[in-house]
């Protein structure tokens, strides 16, 4: 299974003919590795409704026919746009022929560009024999340990930029709680407010945990 970082908090997970696209903020993203017109996902997953995550969801879903998994309030809004949706709530899961995704808590806020208010989520994804945990936008919180205990996490996609989410110091605590084999930082250096030093994060995590930190530049791929 391949994890391709597309910039900010957007990732594409690929296994054979399956491409799972997470938080497709591409248009207007100064760090985007690809244009929205150049992705063709099998499924789209959303952590929450802020514009830097919701992004190009409607355009991509309508063009490709990819269904979108989002928490129920956002799914209802997307359905009004003519998009095929799955609408779990926190703790709920959706199964596909490629695997499954479960919504887990994230401590943040969430409002779509249209004004729909909802609860943010993290995503635990099973694909290609690997389990990936995209934390979404969040601070560290104790129940991350339970998330990591329920399924061993192969890859954690972790925000570290601060200001709108936890910073790289607090993210070390999150890495300790989750215990992932590999941690890939995201949601940093896109804008001045979230600039940070990923190399310091890598050093701190690898000193404090058994996790390996892989720093990806937009467009880079990590293979599990």
């Amino acid at each position: 299974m391949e994890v391709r970082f597309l910039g900010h908090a957007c990732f594409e997970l690929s296994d054979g003919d399956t491409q799972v696209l997470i938080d497709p903020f591409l248009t207007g993203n100064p760090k985007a590795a690809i244009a929205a017109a150049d992705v063709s996902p099998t499924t789209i997953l959303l952590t929450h409704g802020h514009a830097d995550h919701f992004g190009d969801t409607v355009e991509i879903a309508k063009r490709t026919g990819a269904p979108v998994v989002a928490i129920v309030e956002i799914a209802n809004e997307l359905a009004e746009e003519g998009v095929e949706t799955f609408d779990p709530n926190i703790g709920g899961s959706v199964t596909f022929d490629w695997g499954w995704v479960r919504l887990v808590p994230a401590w943040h806020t969430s409002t779509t560009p249209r004004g729909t208010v909802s609860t943010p989520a993290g995503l635990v994804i099973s694909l290609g024999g690997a389990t990936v945990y995209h934390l979404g936008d969040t601070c560290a919180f104790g129940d991350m340990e339970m998330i990591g205990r329920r399924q061993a996490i192969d890859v954690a996609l972790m925000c570290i930029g601060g200001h709108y989410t936890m910073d790289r110091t607090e993210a070390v605590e999150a890495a300790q709680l989750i215990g992932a084999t590999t941690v890939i930082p995201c949601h940093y250096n896109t804008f001045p407010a979230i600039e940070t030093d990923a190399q310091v994060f890598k050093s701190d995590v690898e000193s404090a945990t058994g996790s390996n930190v892989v720093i990806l530049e937009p467009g880079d791929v990590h293979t599990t």
Side-chain angles (χ1 to χ4, degrees), residues 82-93:
V83 172
E84 181 185 355
T85 61
F86 294 89
D87 63 347
N89 211 315
I90 299 296
S93 60

Side-chain angles (χ1 to χ4, degrees), residues 32-194:
I34 195 170
D38 295 327
V39 292
S40 297
T42 306
T43 310
I44 301 170
L45 310 178
L46 291 180
T47 62
H48 66 291
H50 287 160
D52 60 327
H53 296 259
F54 189 92
D56 299 289
T57 296
V58 173
E59 182 275 319
I60 295 170
K62 285 185 173 182
R63 174 173 53 80
T64 64
V68 179
V69 178
I71 202 162
V72 57
E73 291 84 4
I74 298 176
N76 289 343
E77 177 182 314
L78 291 167
E80 293 174 1
E81 298 275 354
V83 172
E84 181 185 355
T85 61
F86 294 89
D87 63 347
N89 211 315
I90 299 296
S93 60
V94 181
T95 300
F96 296 92
D97 57 3
W98 52 259
W100 51 262
V101 56
R102 184 173 74 253
L103 270 61
V104 296
W107 280 97
H108 194 59
T109 58
S110 177
T111 305
T112 69
R114 273 178 47 182
T116 296
V117 178
S118 65
T119 300
L123 306 167
V124 179
I125 305 150
S126 177
L127 173 65
T131 302
V132 178
Y133 175 19
H134 191 305
L135 278 64
D137 282 7
T138 190
C139 62
F141 56 96
D143 286 350
M144 286 178 172
E145 183 176 13
M146 183 177 69
I147 294 167
R149 189 170 66 242
R150 182 174 178 182
Q151 268 101 23
I153 304 299
D154 296 296
V155 181
L157 309 175
M158 186 174 295
C159 54
I160 69 166
H163 195 78
Y164 301 111
T165 70
M166 61 186 173
D167 61 18
R168 60 174 172 78
T169 301
E170 188 176 348
V172 175
E173 298 181 55
Q176 290 173 310
L177 290 165
I178 296 164
T181 302
T182 300
V183 173
I184 299 176
C186 65
H187 207 282
Y188 70 96
N189 290 356
T190 316
F191 313 109
I194 59 172

